[in-house]
Amino acid sequence: MTENTLPSYLSPEHLGPWQTYLSQIEAVAPHIEVSLRPWIETLRRPKRSLIVDVPLRRDNGEIVHFEGYRVHHNTSRGPGKGGVRYHPDVTLSEVMALSAWMTIKNAVVNVPYGGAKGGIRVDPKLLSMPELERMTRRYTSEINILLGPDKDIPAPDMNTNEQVMAWMMDTYSVNQGRTTTGVVTGKPISLGGSLGRRDATGRGVFVTACAAAAKIGLAIPGARIAVQGFGNVGEAAARIFHDAGSHLVAVQDVGGTIYHPAGIDPYALKQHLLVGGKIGEFPGATLIAPSEFWSLDCDILVPAAVEGQLTADNAVGIRAQMIVEGANGPTTPAADAILHERNVLVVPDVLANAGGVTVSYFEWVQDFSSFFWTEEEINARLARIMSEAFDAVWEVAGERGLPLRTAAFVVACKRVLAARAMRGLYP
Ligand code: GLU
């Protein structure tokens, strides 16, 4: 074994998001200055990965076990930061990839954090509220050694929300013997949460889409938008586009794929879902086959669900002018190559969905100073940071003839590796 042989858990058999991330790192390596290149290897392996057993006593007395994870990919620029995901498909390699994308994302928008991510392999829809609370508290205790407002700050991700963050904050605080609101972000407003956090990821998608649209001469009012995933990110993005005069022509979620060329009202769709309706039964829209979603005639496609959705198979049929990635890792490297070839502009996840962690940063700063900002201030600061990040990435892409994803990785990796090099290797 040579010193650079990958450990077995990082071997190529772990295809999927981690492999996607590694190929993104391969693409950026030639664009990093020679003096920083020796440090690239640190980006190819997480700093630390914790696997925990999460036992849960169910309401009927039965004890079941779930596997939980928390990964710190890199902390060169600051404490670990990133969400916690509850999903039956969560694996260590997925959490590793998500933590690595947080390292890149935080550096793209230049917030002073490293990258972290966590998750539990569980279907939370099968748990009662008290069970969800007990599982969250036990998971928080198990990963407690990694947590702290200056060590690792979790936030919501898929299937976790303000309530889950409140339980995490409370569990950590009880164990510390003092209330520490800054240990998680995405909290309820009543517990040190920030105005604007709930919509922040969707708003960031909108801000970057506007910046990209301006570059290709696409007007946002009247633009036809198709959104995959109608959760935290997709619903907010759809609503903000709608408010700006765009037409939400299609929505895809687990409950179905609907199409309506004149535009779906996202407020009415949300209400329909709140009262127990299925997406596929939304009045007025046409139910179409899930595979048809990708080749719909639209201007902006927003994948805002899970990884690996845009593949070589469906990328060839894309008719949208641009793709704005609300999800983390929705596009496979093969699809990326096809989209680049076909001149479809891809605004990558590490830029497009960075609005969430940007407002998480604002929340953390507000918690530390116990001084809270207005929603207008937050949205204005968010728009400024996202537009500046977009411009910096656009400039690098133009100068070097790179896709926006590689350009975003260039901007981010330079920041991370410069910090890493300055800190040096201990001992
Ligand atoms: N889970 C979100 C993301 O993937 C937000 C992370 C955070 O706010 O720390 O970016």
Side-chain angles (χ1 to χ4, degrees):
M1 179 167 161
T2 69
E3 60 274 25
N4 277 337
T5 303
L6 289 173
S8 62
Y9 65 92
L10 300 184
S11 74
E13 92 216 35
H14 285 281
L15 292 173
W18 178 253
Q19 210 56 35
T20 299
Y21 164 74
L22 287 181
S23 70
Q24 292 164 349
I25 289 293
E26 290 324 304
V28 77
H31 301 281
I32 299 297
E33 52 255 51
V34 174
S35 63
L36 293 178
R37 279 189 205 164
W39 295 104
I40 291 179
E41 190 56 27
T42 61
L43 296 175
R44 293 197 183 98
R45 43 188 87 219
K47 179 180 176 63
R48 55 175 77 95
S49 308
L50 182 62
I51 304 179
V52 294
D53 174 39
V54 186
L56 166 72
R57 193 186 306 278
R58 298 215 56 178
D59 295 340
N60 65 7
E62 184 195 353
I63 296 176
V64 291
H65 294 256
F66 300 106
E67 196 160 284
Y69 314 92
R70 187 74 186 168
V71 176
H72 290 178
H73 173 259
N74 186 287
T75 56
S76 294
R77 301 179 64 254
K81 182 89 192 83
V84 172
R85 172 174 293 202
Y86 291 170
H87 195 277
D89 296 336
V90 166
T91 59
L92 176 62
S93 67
E94 182 196 32
V95 176
M96 280 161 39
L98 292 164
S99 70
W101 284 322
M102 288 309 304
T103 300
I104 304 296
K105 189 186 303 188
N106 292 332
V108 169
V109 285
N110 215 0
V111 291
Y113 294 133
K117 202 81 175 198
I120 305 180
R121 191 195 306 197
V122 61
D123 186 351
K125 294 183 181 73
L126 303 179
L127 301 182
S128 68
M129 271 293 257
E131 287 171 342
L132 196 64
E133 175 173 355
R134 289 198 292 276
M135 184 187 71
T136 299
R137 289 186 183 278
R138 182 62 188 247
Y139 167 71
T140 308
S141 292
E142 293 297 341
I143 64 164
N144 186 56
I145 47 169
L146 297 185
L147 301 181
D150 53 1
K151 279 168 74 179
D152 177 2
I153 307 112
D157 197 80
M158 204 175 286
N159 295 326
T160 57
N161 55 20
E162 293 177 3
Q163 176 62 80
V164 171
M165 293 307 115
W167 291 327
M168 289 190 79
M169 188 280 266
D170 182 71
T171 305
Y172 178 85
S173 296
V174 168
N175 284 316
Q176 293 291 312
R178 59 173 179 271
T179 295
T180 310
T181 53
V183 71
V184 295
T185 60
K187 299 179 297 294
I189 302 290
S190 57
L191 289 176
S194 177
L195 294 167
R197 176 63 185 85
R198 209 177 286 167
D199 280 355
T201 311
R203 186 172 297 283
V205 165
F206 175 76
V207 170
T208 48
C210 290
K215 300 287 185 193
I216 62 169
L218 172 68
I220 290 294
R224 296 160 307 161
I225 320 288
V227 176
Q228 185 197 38
F230 203 66
N232 286 345
V233 182
E235 183 274 326
R239 180 163 33 82
I240 296 166
F241 273 112
H242 172 86
D243 291 347
S246 307
H247 302 302
L248 178 64
V249 294
V251 177
Q252 174 166 88
D253 209 322
V254 279
T257 305
I258 53 173
Y259 176 62
H260 192 13
I264 296 157
D265 178 349
Y267 293 90
L269 179 57
K270 189 175 181 188
Q271 196 51 38
H272 170 79
L273 296 174
L274 276 177
V275 297
K278 280 217 161 75
I279 289 230
E281 292 157 2
F282 184 64
T286 311
L287 182 66
I288 59 169
S291 58
E292 282 180 61
F293 176 79
W294 302 105
S295 52
L296 286 175
D297 191 12
C298 66
D299 299 304
I300 304 178
L301 196 54
V302 181
V306 287
E307 302 97 61
Q309 296 299 293
L310 264 154
T311 61
D313 288 342
N314 55 30
V316 287
I318 296 283
R319 285 154 84 187
Q321 302 185 53
M322 65 183 194
I323 291 167
V324 188
E325 297 183 338
N328 290 311
T331 310
T332 66
D336 244 344
I338 293 168
L339 294 167
H340 186 58
E341 173 88 359
R342 295 191 54 223
N343 253 325
V344 179
L345 186 62
V346 178
V347 187
D349 48 7
V350 291
L351 171 63
N353 73 32
V357 74
T358 302
V359 177
S360 277
Y361 167 60
F362 299 160
E363 178 173 334
W364 183 74
V365 168
Q366 291 171 87
D367 286 342
F368 270 120
S369 56
S370 299
F371 177 72
F372 290 86
W373 314 343
T374 65
E375 192 158 358
E376 291 69 39
E377 276 176 282
I378 284 157
N379 289 346
R381 285 182 200 259
L382 171 65
R384 200 182 70 222
I385 288 183
M386 299 290 293
S387 312
E388 283 174 4
F390 180 89
D391 290 344
V393 170
W394 186 268
E395 195 181 309
V396 170
E399 276 168 13
R400 304 185 183 209
L402 297 174
L404 290 181
R405 188 183 318 280
T406 311
F409 270 66
V410 170
V411 169
C413 290
K414 281 183 163 190
R415 287 182 179 146
V416 176
L417 297 178
R420 187 72 189 79
M422 283 304 284
R423 287 178 67 155
L425 186 63
Y426 168 84

